[in-house]
Amino acid sequence: MTADTPLVHPLGPLSAAEIDAASDLVRKAWPAETLFQFKVVTLQEPAKAALVPYLEAEKEGKPLPDIPRRVFLAYYLRNTHKFHEALVNLSTGVLERNVRIAEDKHANGDGEEIVAIEKVLLADPGVRAAIEKLRLPAGSMVVADPWIYGSDGVRNGLFRDDVRAMQCFLYMRDPANPTEPDSCHYAFPLPLSPVVDCATLEVVRIDVMPTGLDAAVKTLDELTPWQPAPPSEYIPECQTDGLRTDLKPLRVVQPEGASFAVSAYSEMGRSVAWQKWAFKVGFNQREGMVLYDVHYDGRPLFYRLSLSDMAIPYADPRHPFHKKQAFDLGDVGAGIMANNLQLGCDCLGAIYYMDGVVSNAEGRAQAMPNVICVHEQDAGIAWKHTNYRTDRAVVVRQRELVLQTILTVSNYEYILAWVFNLSGDITYDVRATGIVSSQPVDRELEKTPHPFGTVVHPGVLAGHHQHFFSLRLDPMIAGHGNTVVYQDAVALPRDPVLNPHGVGYTVETTPLKTSCSLDIDTAATGRVIHITNPAVRHPVNGAPAAYKVHLPPMQPILADRDSFHRKRAEFADHPVYVTRYAEGELYAGGTWTNQSRGGDGVRTWAARSDSLEEGDPVVWLQFGLNHVPRAEDFPVMPCENLRVTLRPANMFVRNPALDVPPSTQAVNCSVSLNGVVDKAAASGTNGANGTNGTNGSSCCA
Amino acid sequence: MTADTPLVHPLGPLSAAEIDAASDLVRKAWPAETLFQFKVVTLQEPAKAALVPYLEAEKEGKPLPDIPRRVFLAYYLRNTHKFHEALVNLSTGVLERNVRIAEDKHANGDGEEIVAIEKVLLADPGVRAAIEKLRLPAGSMVVADPWIYGSDGVRNGLFRDDVRAMQCFLYMRDPANPTEPDSCHYAFPLPLSPVVDCATLEVVRIDVMPTGLDAAVKTLDELTPWQPAPPSEYIPECQTDGLRTDLKPLRVVQPEGASFAVSAYSEMGRSVAWQKWAFKVGFNQREGMVLYDVHYDGRPLFYRLSLSDMAIPYADPRHPFHKKQAFDLGDVGAGIMANNLQLGCDCLGAIYYMDGVVSNAEGRAQAMPNVICVHEQDAGIAWKHTNYRTDRAVVVRQRELVLQTILTVSNYEYILAWVFNLSGDITYDVRATGIVSSQPVDRELEKTPHPFGTVVHPGVLAGHHQHFFSLRLDPMIAGHGNTVVYQDAVALPRDPVLNPHGVGYTVETTPLKTSCSLDIDTAATGRVIHITNPAVRHPVNGAPAAYKVHLPPMQPILADRDSFHRKRAEFADHPVYVTRYAEGELYAGGTWTNQSRGGDGVRTWAARSDSLEEGDPVVWLQFGLNHVPRAEDFPVMPCENLRVTLRPANMFVRNPALDVPPSTQAVNCSVSLNGVVDKAAASGTNGANGTNGTNGSSCCA
């Protein structure tokens, strides 16, 4: 998509030129020889008070207000812990803010430093000496996955935990195949964890992992030789039993093209229109894909939709695992870690790709092609009814529009998708896959049930951990001015007149008046959250237009109240938070999650007990899973799937998919396999397997 | 599929000839002029003690033991309440049992009597007189949906509730279009409910429905004229705003054929083999589709899988709604009500159809074509990992095999499917659709929030109701001899040595020793049920081979402890029941659910506290939803979807889908839409919509 004049829109993701221009403006404010490590160069979205009128004018084709284009940056003076935040106004070319921030705030990781840290530590004499003690096979290839250090409030002579550091987990490739760069090193975890100061790139400590059941902290002198173990590879060429040969191709074709249309609302931003849905898609370093200005059939629904953060605390309380908790957006970034999606591999059918652009550590634009893919898919039956008197069936098939992005965070992958359908539903679909974090375990303990994980392979313990996802909904259901309510189902007491048989129940709806958290005890109350617009009423039943939330159940964070895990993962203690909209409150775990201490995030904001009565709520939906690993999760785990669905409730007069043409064979061109996949059985041999045949007859011309 | 000699297998569904032969044997036991109303003619599955050795011999190719072929029948002497159970041995031609059963047991409904009852009551003078009072428009067409009567223990002079009866709900077609046979009559509910004695086919009472908010029971004299209201049609030709024209076709093609094979294990029974899965599919009048002898890669998993029943209690406590609770399997039958699935309408792609055969009221075989459809579908990514050092991504797509059946129970539809995938998972997928049960409400109350339902259309209240589904799993995970356990996640207390930072947690596994019910409080414990084989251990970690259960949360039945609703819906009070296997315990709500009183079903069986230590547990999984109708649910509701997933846990050495070939464009032949769906934007016009284009280029030859 090319344009002569670049389009500018307040919600358009930064272009490459804008990224470069913004970091240049920061550079200019410093002496020429200053070296920088840029951590964030991202769009500073305009204040809602300015943006809402802009979007309304845009929708109505009226003159557009001027909104200055601002960029938020964060950077270190390279090789120091001097961390700065800056705000650049690109419209005026002015550096509006440029401050050193508090010492206890630390930036996210980035790819360049991960690679540099691995290199440094593998060359470090102390680390090499420690590795020597393990007596690894000759020619072994050790690799290191740097991880954010985490928080535990511990200071010791060598190291203060408010110094930005990385704890690095060491692994080895298959010693019998050390030159295979994609050998699964997670099958060979080593009991060493060097800690690296991110400013000096020096190894300041080497932790030794517990590999038994006790909590004693070992020293380097106590390292014992590595116990031989077999590999566990995921690459197809290493599957020693061969690959399946009997999975026939399945293709999705759209012979008349796709039903959706894409246009550019800015140089990097794309608008999507599909089956009465219309919305803008943005992309940035931290959140990855963000949706704005979501409408259905011209009616406003959501102002902004995003994954706000994740937290993954681990169960093993022993040093150094006690501080192992990843915030994969705040600590790294869903945008910067987004996969380049490949045609025909990650998506199936007729696919549209969107690109992104982020900044590298030099503040230079870095293209990220194919970070979002868009496609339609069939999703079974949308609705059906057969009148038993006439046997006439009316059946309509469900179609979905999927916008998918995938992020890789060292070992783990997350497949994140927004899914729209013909019935007015919006679903957020999360799949966790990739490789579970592994730590070494003594071979002799393998058959002992381990309190903190599962032995998934000889010598490999996959630790238990919880996943928490926080979805941020900034609603404008049927327009701005929304009230969040919860609806509980309540049994009626027996009453000789009204409820003599004890069967009655009703629903009670309670509006939220101040910011708060909510719990959902389905067994007790069947509680459902609704986001309503009290000023817009259903023409028949007078109920407020609303969207209701289907949220999978969650066990809140198990780390205790005083732990850093819980203090930091402000969203992980309740499935729902509702706050009053405030500028800058986008990330449920706070802005700077790396080695954070809590005090910034959704719990802190909700505790203000702001009034919600002006009708500008932000809804934070938390969901997740307790991952008790199983052997089937290794070496790569089959996807664990979680879905949150937002469904209209009295928003529409009637079923919004009634006008979808019924499903017909003439359009769908299905094929009958009768007489094809069961050929061999036609002879009547008891128990014989049928052979796979070619396509049967088709009803299509 | 033809065969010269009919195949006979102990698990083969009855053939047409067998149905006829069985009912003939019953007839012969009575005087020649006896008239019968057959309610059930179904396979009496052999005792497990006989069947397990048979299946093992079959698997090993050894000589097969003889197992007599038995048929269970239930019938009335027509036009009486004399209800009988019979057992026929077709192998010997002997009627082994033929008894009149207790007066308080009542049979399921059937299609013939539903139609007859509607006819009778619409011709009844009392009913006609009552309808007259409503002053319906000239030429109006009144229809009646007979419903099972329900239970309330009430006896009055006219009618004892242990007489088998139907309560009938009356509706009218659109008075402006009364000759349209598919006019949605649920938009015009009438406040009359005639009660018909099923033996005499006489109207014994006419109930008047409350249409206000109070509980006063109205008499026929208090009927007032019908208040005019508009129609609400679902048939496409009545969609006055027209149908969507911009949904492009989407087709699923398998150019090399399907990956599954089907063979006949008996005349009516089909074996399916797909991607290491192998199982037998049966079909019967009550349960519809049943799966037997499920194996993965030759390893036994499940002996029998079935939907055991459903219960749908309604919230309105006022007469006559207080007894409104449907058991759609026990009261009617998922087999007898199964839709004839249509190529290209109900299923998409390359489809295999299975037929069924049931009995009619004369005991004659009645063919039911296309009651189960089988097809593959893509299900997104199965697993993926990208090594960030090399950028090599390995991605495998998930493929599913779906066996689907749909039942229509008057107004409601249920789409029920078993879904298998490449990762060893089995999912039971339920979609509720069709038309919510409607009752009349005074026009002037429409905008008043109603305690017991939602006004979905002028004059139409859709009552709140709960759906409960009970899935019966008879496991043989890694062989017979299973133990059910539950696994909770438990925070560790602070401890200066082990857990100084308060982050530790572990999992506690508790085996079930006696039959019982279980609750699942995810927020408190993150509880997960596992079905394990303690005698089969993972070769590395020694954990028992198991399958774990992902069950959506459920609010138990709200009707109180002493209510007939709760007494009857024995499964609806807990999400999990585990009983010891016993012959004849197939249906969680008991055998004869129609007008039942409780005392037969899973709660009763579990209360025996049988020891589970012999290792033959049956697991009953309950799940459901509280349906608070919304306007979008009318006139036909978009599917509400619930899924239960069974996933291997330490059953396999490693990820069972590692040997699936990676997803490649060469096989998948996806198509890029870049430059196609965004054409119009290429000119750079701000905000212009792109046009839908034809397929873009394809990488396939």
Side-chain angles (χ1 to χ4, degrees):
Chain A
M1 193 176 291
T2 60
D4 296 322
T5 319
L7 304 166
V8 181
H9 187 288
L11 288 174
L14 295 181
S15 67
E18 289 177 319
I19 287 171
D20 291 347
S23 59
D24 283 346
L25 272 163
V26 167
R27 285 183 186 276
K28 281 204 200 84
W30 292 85
E33 64 278 8
T34 311
L35 296 175
F36 296 88
Q37 186 187 24
F38 284 90
K39 285 294 180 179
V40 180
V41 182
T42 202
L43 176 68
Q44 176 76 12
E45 290 179 17
K48 201 172 197 178
L51 193 52
V52 166
Y54 182 101
L55 292 172
E56 279 167 13
E58 180 183 39
K59 195 156 70 172
E60 292 163 23
K62 294 195 170 139
L64 301 169
D66 262 328
I67 298 188
R69 187 83 167 151
R70 287 193 171 88
V71 179
F72 172 80
L73 304 95
Y75 63 96
Y76 285 98
L77 300 182
R78 195 175 271 281
N79 303 322
T80 77
H81 286 294
K82 294 177 183 174
F83 188 34
H84 297 74
E85 289 180 358
L87 195 66
V88 159
N89 182 326
L90 285 178
S91 307
T92 58
V94 171
L95 178 60
E96 292 181 344
R97 178 173 178 259
N98 187 23
V99 295
R100 171 121 182 248
I101 62 172
E103 274 191 349
D104 63 351
K105 303 288 184 199
H106 304 292
N108 43 300
D110 69 48
E112 183 213 64
E113 81 183 332
I114 300 291
V115 168
I117 284 169
E118 177 179 27
K119 213 165 156 184
V120 154
L121 72 89
L122 291 175
D124 180 83
V127 171
R128 293 170 81 99
I131 290 172
E132 276 296 305
K133 294 186 158 67
L134 299 174
R135 300 198 195 284
L136 301 176
S140 298
M141 189 69 161
V142 175
V143 298
D145 280 19
W147 266 57
I148 43 81
Y149 184 81
S151 305
D152 61 5
V154 172
R155 298 177 159 220
N156 60 43
L158 261 178
F159 184 66
R160 299 187 340 261
D161 91 319
D162 60 351
V163 163
R164 187 165 174 276
M166 295 273 171
Q167 62 181 340
C168 305
F169 300 135
L170 259 48
Y171 309 86
M172 172 173 68
R173 290 189 198 152
D174 178 7
N177 196 10
T179 55
E180 169 53 70
D182 291 291
S183 170
C184 180
H185 52 271
Y186 301 98
F188 298 100
L190 304 176
L192 299 174
S193 180
V195 177
V196 176
D197 178 316
C198 294
T200 64
L201 289 185
E202 283 170 1
V203 176
V204 295
R205 195 174 81 218
I206 302 174
D207 288 332
V208 177
M209 293 168 168
T211 58
L213 290 173
D214 62 279
V217 178
K218 291 205 183 114
T219 65
L220 290 167
D221 293 326
E222 296 173 84
L223 285 172
T224 51
W226 173 72
Q227 297 166 295
S232 185
E233 304 291 9
Y234 62 88
I235 53 180
E237 59 268 37
C238 285
Q239 300 312 310
T240 47
D241 294 333
L243 301 181
R244 301 185 194 202
T245 55
D246 56 350
L247 188 62
K248 308 283 189 192
L250 185 149
R251 296 178 187 149
V252 171
V253 296
Q254 291 197 274
E256 295 178 29
S259 318
F260 64 96
V262 179
S263 61
Y265 70 86
S266 82
E267 183 179 333
M268 295 303 300
R270 296 292 174 264
S271 293
V272 177
W274 178 78
Q275 293 300 300
K276 306 189 188 179
W277 290 102
F279 49 87
K280 295 174 167 67
V281 184
F283 182 85
N284 66 64
Q285 166 180 344
R286 178 178 182 142
E287 295 166 298
M289 169 169 55
V290 178
L291 303 187
Y292 306 96
D293 208 25
V294 182
H295 288 69
Y296 183 90
D297 207 16
R299 301 182 71 190
L301 290 181
F302 290 95
Y303 176 74
R304 193 182 198 275
L305 294 171
S306 58
L307 181 67
S308 150
D309 217 327
M310 307 177 193
I312 302 98
Y314 282 75
D316 195 331
R318 305 170 298 168
H319 184 93
F321 306 117
H322 64 288
K323 48 188 176 49
K324 192 171 168 185
Q325 174 168 247
F327 288 76
D328 286 323
L329 269 59
D331 289 348
V332 189
I336 192 102
M337 293 294 147
N339 290 183
N340 180 333
L341 303 170
Q342 293 298 306
L343 187 68
C345 303
D346 294 295
C347 318
L348 183 69
I351 322 286
Y352 182 85
Y353 291 90
M354 297 181 180
D355 301 336
V357 63
V358 296
S359 167
N360 66 15
E362 294 306 313
R364 298 296 95 189
Q366 185 175 292
M368 298 205 64
N370 304 339
V371 286
I372 297 170
C373 63
V374 187
H375 64 96
E376 292 180 85
Q377 62 190 19
D378 181 84
I381 290 172
W383 59 263
K384 182 179 188 184
H385 184 63
T386 297
N387 179 353
Y388 71 83
R389 294 172 182 76
T390 62
D391 243 354
R392 176 179 178 183
V394 181
V395 54
V396 163
R397 294 198 71 79
Q398 188 60 273
R399 185 76 65 82
E400 292 175 335
L401 184 77
V402 180
L403 289 90
Q404 174 174 281
T405 185
I406 303 178
L407 71 140
T408 299
V409 205
S410 281
N411 48 298
Y412 245 102
E413 259 81 7
Y414 296 97
I415 303 170
L416 308 169
W418 285 104
V419 183
F420 297 82
N421 75 13
L422 304 176
S423 312
D425 304 332
I426 304 174
T427 294
Y428 193 67
D429 188 295
V430 175
R431 297 185 186 200
T433 181
I435 305 181
V436 286
S437 187
S438 64
Q439 64 199 63
V441 65
D442 295 337
R443 298 297 307 275
E444 49 270 22
L445 288 177
E446 271 159 23
K447 290 193 162 53
T448 308
H450 196 289
F452 307 123
T454 304
V455 174
V456 291
H457 184 71
V460 180
L461 185 80
H464 304 320
H465 53 280
Q466 295 182 284
H467 289 268
F468 297 100
F469 303 90
S470 175
L471 200 60
R472 182 181 184 276
L473 314 183
D474 188 345
M476 53 177 188
I477 305 295
H480 292 278
N482 288 174
T483 297
V484 180
V485 309
Y486 60 87
Q487 190 178 76
D488 291 353
V490 179
L492 293 181
R494 283 234 178 193
D495 177 277
V497 175
L498 180 61
N499 188 26
H501 300 276
V503 301
Y505 75 86
T506 188
V507 292
E508 294 179 350
T509 302
T510 308
L512 298 181
K513 300 198 164 154
T514 58
S515 62
C516 60
S517 64
L518 282 178
D519 289 319
I520 294 179
D521 184 347
T522 298
T525 63
R527 177 167 292 179
V528 180
I529 308 297
H530 292 232
I531 307 171
T532 78
N533 189 327
V536 178
R537 299 282 170 158
H538 189 276
V540 176
N541 65 26
Y547 261 67
K548 58 177 177 154
V549 178
H550 289 209
L551 191 60
M554 171 186 111
Q555 180 176 28
I557 187 166
L558 285 156
D560 73 22
R561 193 168 279 273
D562 299 319
S563 65
F564 277 99
H565 280 1
R566 184 184 283 249
K567 287 179 185 173
R568 302 172 61 203
E570 288 215 350
F571 49 90
D573 52 355
H574 296 286
V576 181
Y577 270 97
V578 182
T579 59
R580 183 175 67 190
Y581 180 88
E583 293 301 328
E585 290 180 2
L586 286 174
Y587 316 124
T591 304
W592 302 117
T593 60
N594 189 0
Q595 289 173 243
S596 60
R597 305 300 185 86
D600 183 22
V602 76
R603 185 190 305 142
T604 299
W605 306 329
R608 293 189 303 248
S609 294
D610 292 334
S611 164
L612 296 175
E613 307 210 33
E614 304 84 21
D616 198 3
V618 175
V619 181
W620 312 79
L621 301 174
Q622 282 65 243
F623 55 102
L625 66 120
N626 176 26
H627 194 173
V628 176
R630 42 177 196 153
E632 290 85 351
D633 286 334
F634 204 70
V636 180
M637 62 180 273
C639 290
E640 281 276 357
N641 186 215
L642 292 165
R643 315 187 93 207
V644 177
T645 301
L646 312 172
R647 310 195 82 190
N650 305 304
M651 175 87 193
F652 303 107
V653 177
R654 53 208 299 256
N655 176 347
L658 277 168
D659 63 347
V660 177
S663 177
T664 64
Q665 172 58 2
V667 171
N668 294 335
C669 290
S670 288
V671 155
S672 169
L673 295 171
N674 287 68
V676 176
V677 295
D678 53 0
K679 267 211 186 81
S683 66
T685 320
N686 194 10
N689 278 334
T691 51
N692 294 335
T694 53
N695 261 357
S697 62
S698 164
C699 306
C700 282
Chain B
M1 194 174 294
T2 60
D4 295 324
T5 319
L7 304 166
V8 180
H9 186 288
L11 287 174
L14 294 182
S15 68
E18 289 176 321
I19 287 171
D20 291 348
S23 60
D24 283 348
L25 272 162
V26 167
R27 284 181 188 278
K28 281 207 199 86
W30 291 84
E33 64 276 10
T34 311
L35 296 175
F36 296 88
Q37 186 187 25
F38 283 91
K39 285 294 180 179
V40 180
V41 181
T42 202
L43 176 68
Q44 176 77 11
E45 289 179 18
K48 200 172 198 179
L51 193 52
V52 167
Y54 183 101
L55 293 171
E56 279 167 12
E58 179 183 40
K59 195 156 70 170
E60 292 163 23
K62 293 195 170 141
L64 300 169
D66 263 328
I67 297 188
R69 186 83 165 151
R70 287 192 170 88
V71 180
F72 172 80
L73 304 94
Y75 63 97
Y76 285 98
L77 299 181
R78 197 176 270 281
N79 302 324
T80 77
H81 286 293
K82 294 176 183 174
F83 189 34
H84 297 73
E85 289 180 359
L87 195 66
V88 157
N89 183 326
L90 284 179
S91 307
T92 58
V94 171
L95 178 59
E96 291 182 345
R97 178 172 178 261
N98 187 23
V99 295
R100 171 123 181 245
I101 62 172
E103 275 191 348
D104 62 352
K105 303 287 184 201
H106 305 291
N108 44 300
D110 68 47
E112 184 213 62
E113 81 182 331
I114 300 292
V115 169
I117 285 169
E118 178 180 28
K119 213 166 157 182
V120 153
L121 73 88
L122 290 176
D124 179 83
V127 172
R128 293 170 83 98
I131 290 173
E132 276 296 306
K133 292 186 161 65
L134 299 175
R135 300 199 196 284
L136 302 176
S140 297
M141 189 68 161
V142 175
V143 299
D145 279 19
W147 267 57
I148 44 81
Y149 183 81
S151 306
D152 61 3
V154 172
R155 298 178 158 220
N156 58 43
L158 261 179
F159 183 66
R160 300 189 336 263
D161 90 319
D162 59 350
V163 163
R164 186 166 173 275
M166 295 273 174
Q167 62 180 340
C168 306
F169 299 136
L170 260 49
Y171 309 87
M172 171 174 67
R173 289 188 198 152
D174 178 7
N177 196 10
T179 56
E180 169 52 70
D182 292 291
S183 171
C184 180
H185 54 271
Y186 301 98
F188 298 100
L190 303 177
L192 299 173
S193 180
V195 177
V196 176
D197 179 317
C198 293
T200 63
L201 289 186
E202 284 170 2
V203 176
V204 295
R205 193 175 83 218
I206 303 175
D207 288 334
V208 178
M209 293 169 167
T211 60
L213 290 173
D214 62 278
V217 178
K218 288 203 184 114
T219 64
L220 290 167
D221 293 328
E222 296 173 84
L223 285 172
T224 51
W226 173 74
Q227 297 166 296
S232 185
E233 304 291 10
Y234 62 88
I235 52 181
E237 59 267 37
C238 285
Q239 299 312 312
T240 47
D241 294 333
L243 300 182
R244 301 185 195 203
T245 55
D246 56 349
L247 189 61
K248 308 284 189 192
L250 184 148
R251 297 179 186 149
V252 171
V253 296
Q254 292 198 272
E256 294 178 29
S259 318
F260 63 96
V262 178
S263 60
Y265 70 87
S266 82
E267 183 179 334
M268 295 303 300
R270 297 292 173 264
S271 292
V272 178
W274 177 79
Q275 293 301 300
K276 307 188 187 180
W277 290 102
F279 50 87
K280 295 175 167 67
V281 184
F283 182 84
N284 67 63
Q285 167 180 343
R286 177 178 183 143
E287 297 167 298
M289 170 170 52
V290 178
L291 303 187
Y292 306 96
D293 207 26
V294 181
H295 287 70
Y296 183 90
D297 207 16
R299 300 183 71 192
L301 289 183
F302 290 95
Y303 176 73
R304 193 184 199 274
L305 293 171
S306 58
L307 181 67
S308 151
D309 216 327
M310 306 179 194
I312 301 97
Y314 282 75
D316 195 332
R318 305 169 300 167
H319 182 94
F321 305 118
H322 64 287
K323 47 187 177 50
K324 193 172 168 186
Q325 174 169 247
F327 288 75
D328 286 324
L329 270 58
D331 289 349
V332 188
I336 193 102
M337 293 293 147
N339 291 181
N340 180 333
L341 302 171
Q342 294 298 308
L343 186 68
C345 302
D346 293 295
C347 316
L348 184 69
I351 321 288
Y352 182 84
Y353 291 91
M354 296 181 180
D355 300 338
V357 62
V358 297
S359 167
N360 66 15
E362 295 305 313
R364 299 294 95 188
Q366 184 175 293
M368 298 206 63
N370 303 339
V371 287
I372 297 170
C373 65
V374 187
H375 65 96
E376 292 179 83
Q377 63 189 17
D378 181 85
I381 291 172
W383 58 263
K384 182 179 188 184
H385 184 62
T386 298
N387 180 354
Y388 70 83
R389 293 172 183 76
T390 62
D391 243 354
R392 176 179 178 183
V394 181
V395 55
V396 163
R397 294 198 71 80
Q398 187 61 273
R399 185 76 65 83
E400 292 175 335
L401 184 76
V402 180
L403 289 90
Q404 174 174 282
T405 185
I406 302 178
L407 74 141
T408 298
V409 206
S410 281
N411 48 298
Y412 244 102
E413 259 81 8
Y414 296 98
I415 302 170
L416 308 169
W418 285 104
V419 183
F420 298 82
N421 74 11
L422 303 176
S423 311
D425 303 332
I426 304 175
T427 294
Y428 193 67
D429 188 294
V430 176
R431 295 185 188 203
T433 181
I435 306 181
V436 285
S437 186
S438 62
Q439 64 199 65
V441 66
D442 294 337
R443 298 299 306 276
E444 50 269 23
L445 289 177
E446 273 159 22
K447 290 194 163 49
T448 307
H450 197 289
F452 307 123
T454 304
V455 174
V456 292
H457 185 71
V460 180
L461 186 79
H464 303 319
H465 52 281
Q466 295 181 284
H467 288 269
F468 295 101
F469 302 91
S470 176
L471 201 60
R472 181 182 185 276
L473 314 183
D474 187 345
M476 53 178 187
I477 305 295
H480 291 280
N482 288 175
T483 297
V484 180
V485 309
Y486 61 88
Q487 190 179 77
D488 292 352
V490 180
L492 293 180
R494 284 235 177 191
D495 177 277
V497 176
L498 180 60
N499 188 26
H501 300 276
V503 300
Y505 75 86
T506 188
V507 292
E508 295 179 350
T509 302
T510 308
L512 297 181
K513 301 200 163 153
T514 58
S515 62
C516 60
S517 64
L518 283 178
D519 289 319
I520 295 179
D521 184 347
T522 299
T525 62
R527 176 167 292 178
V528 179
I529 308 298
H530 292 232
I531 307 171
T532 78
N533 190 327
V536 178
R537 299 282 172 160
H538 189 275
V540 177
N541 64 26
Y547 260 68
K548 57 176 178 156
V549 178
H550 289 209
L551 191 60
M554 171 186 111
Q555 181 176 26
I557 187 166
L558 284 156
D560 74 22
R561 194 169 277 275
D562 298 319
S563 65
F564 277 99
H565 280 2
R566 185 183 281 250
K567 287 179 185 174
R568 302 172 61 205
E570 289 215 349
F571 48 90
D573 52 356
H574 296 285
V576 181
Y577 270 96
V578 182
T579 58
R580 183 174 67 192
Y581 180 88
E583 292 302 329
E585 290 182 0
L586 287 175
Y587 316 123
T591 303
W592 301 116
T593 59
N594 189 1
Q595 289 173 242
S596 60
R597 307 299 184 87
D600 182 22
V602 76
R603 186 190 305 141
T604 298
W605 307 329
R608 294 190 302 247
S609 294
D610 292 334
S611 165
L612 296 175
E613 305 211 35
E614 304 84 21
D616 198 4
V618 175
V619 181
W620 312 79
L621 300 174
Q622 282 66 244
F623 56 102
L625 67 120
N626 176 26
H627 194 172
V628 175
R630 43 178 195 151
E632 291 86 350
D633 287 334
F634 204 71
V636 180
M637 62 181 273
C639 289
E640 280 277 357
N641 185 216
L642 292 165
R643 317 187 92 208
V644 177
T645 301
L646 312 172
R647 311 196 80 189
N650 305 303
M651 175 88 194
F652 302 107
V653 178
R654 52 208 300 254
N655 175 348
L658 277 168
D659 62 348
V660 177
S663 175
T664 64
Q665 172 59 1
V667 170
N668 295 335
C669 290
S670 288
V671 156
S672 168
L673 295 170
N674 286 70
V676 174
V677 295
D678 53 1
K679 266 213 185 78
S683 66
T685 320
N686 194 9
N689 279 331
T691 51
N692 294 333
T694 54
N695 262 353
S697 62
S698 163
C699 305
C700 281

